[in-house]
Amino acid sequence: MAIAEHDNVFIFVPNLIGYARIVLALIAFWFMSTNYVIAGWCYIISALLDAVDGHAARAFNQSTRFGAMLDQLTDRCGTTGLLVTLAYFYPSYMFWFQLSIAIDVACHWLYMQTSVVVGRTSHKVNDNVVMRIYYQKDVLTFMCCVNELFYVCLYLLHFTYGPLILGASLFKILAFLTGPFAVLKAVISLIHAYIAGQDLAAVDVRERVEKRQKAEPVVGKKLE
């Protein structure tokens, strides 16, 4: 069924899905320390809807800067909330969870902000070969899923071992399998920050050169 076109960005279909993601994340946060079933399902559904809103944006021609920012903020805040809980559950690994939060938030914020400054139509558009590969649809979906799965498995393992496969915990097996990809995603986030830093510095250099060029004629007139 066709949806009538309108320009109220706040009620675009993908953004409505984004609001639902926020509500689910908040419910997950509320129950995260007490009820792993409710918290786990709400968090997982919120994360999975991240792929749905992208499909909706393309299907209904409703891709917006607001939606992209809402999506990014929901991702960052959702993962941060889970990592804060993990730091509480596993205090001996608190530094690593803190480091994961810092890398995730800082690198993505810098990359998004720089994309706006340099005038890119999307933060997913970049000439760097690593970014081109990373932002391919299947690659990005896979990396985000296994990264979230790693942290969710660590969360669930605090409460239960889950199903057993040949006497081994399924959640523990998945954590070992997805852990390397979580580390790889952190490394890619650092690459985001490096690329953004280079682009932002280039903007600074260009603006300084333009400023000097504008000032030179004025100085020349004064000397005459």
Side-chain angles (χ1 to χ4, degrees), residues 21-22 24-26 28-29 32 39 42-44 46-47 70-86 101 104-105 147-148 151-152:
R21 291 187 64 205
I22 293 172
L24 288 167
L26 290 174
F29 291 169
M32 205 162 268
C42 285
Y43 185 90
I44 290 170
S46 177
L70 180 68
D71 190 55
Q72 276 288 326
L73 290 174
T74 304
D75 289 344
R76 304 287 73 74
C77 292
T79 304
T80 297
L82 178 57
L83 286 169
V84 168
T85 304
L86 292 177
I101 292 171
D104 189 46
V105 173
N147 182 69
E148 292 292 345
Y151 292 126
V152 168

Side-chain angles (χ1 to χ4, degrees), residues 103-104 107-108 134 184-194:
I103 290 174
D104 189 46
C107 294
H108 279 88
Y134 179 73
L184 176 60
K185 192 172 185 300
V187 171
I188 293 174
S189 292
L190 291 172
I191 295 174
H192 274 79
Y194 172 78

Side-chain angles (χ1 to χ4, degrees), residues 35-130:
N35 191 319
Y36 73 91
V37 176
I38 295 176
W41 276 114
C42 285
Y43 185 90
I44 290 170
I45 293 171
S46 177
L48 290 175
L49 285 176
D50 184 23
V52 177
D53 63 10
H55 285 295
R58 291 185 291 273
F60 299 119
N61 191 29
Q62 293 181 340
S63 297
T64 60
R65 294 182 187 276
F66 172 78
M69 187 60 70
L70 180 68
D71 190 55
Q72 276 288 326
L73 290 174
T74 304
D75 289 344
R76 304 287 73 74
C77 292
T79 304
T80 297
L82 178 57
L83 286 169
V84 168
T85 304
L86 292 177
Y88 173 74
F89 285 167
Y90 304 100
S92 59
Y93 295 96
M94 183 176 291
F95 169 77
W96 299 108
F97 293 126
Q98 290 173 324
L99 185 62
S100 296
I101 292 171
I103 290 174
D104 189 46
V105 173
C107 294
H108 279 88
W109 185 89
L110 178 59
Y111 190 77
M112 287 289 289
Q113 180 69 11
T114 302
S115 296
V116 173
V117 171
V118 300
R120 292 197 186 99
T121 56
S122 169
H123 66 281
K124 296 180 181 179
V125 177
N126 196 289
D127 293 332
N128 181 274
V129 63
V130 176

Side-chain angles (χ1 to χ4, degrees), residues 153-170:
C153 285
L154 293 183
Y155 169 73
L156 293 173
L157 280 168
H158 177 75
F159 296 95
T160 175
Y161 284 113
L164 298 179
I165 298 179
L166 299 178
S169 164
L170 174 62

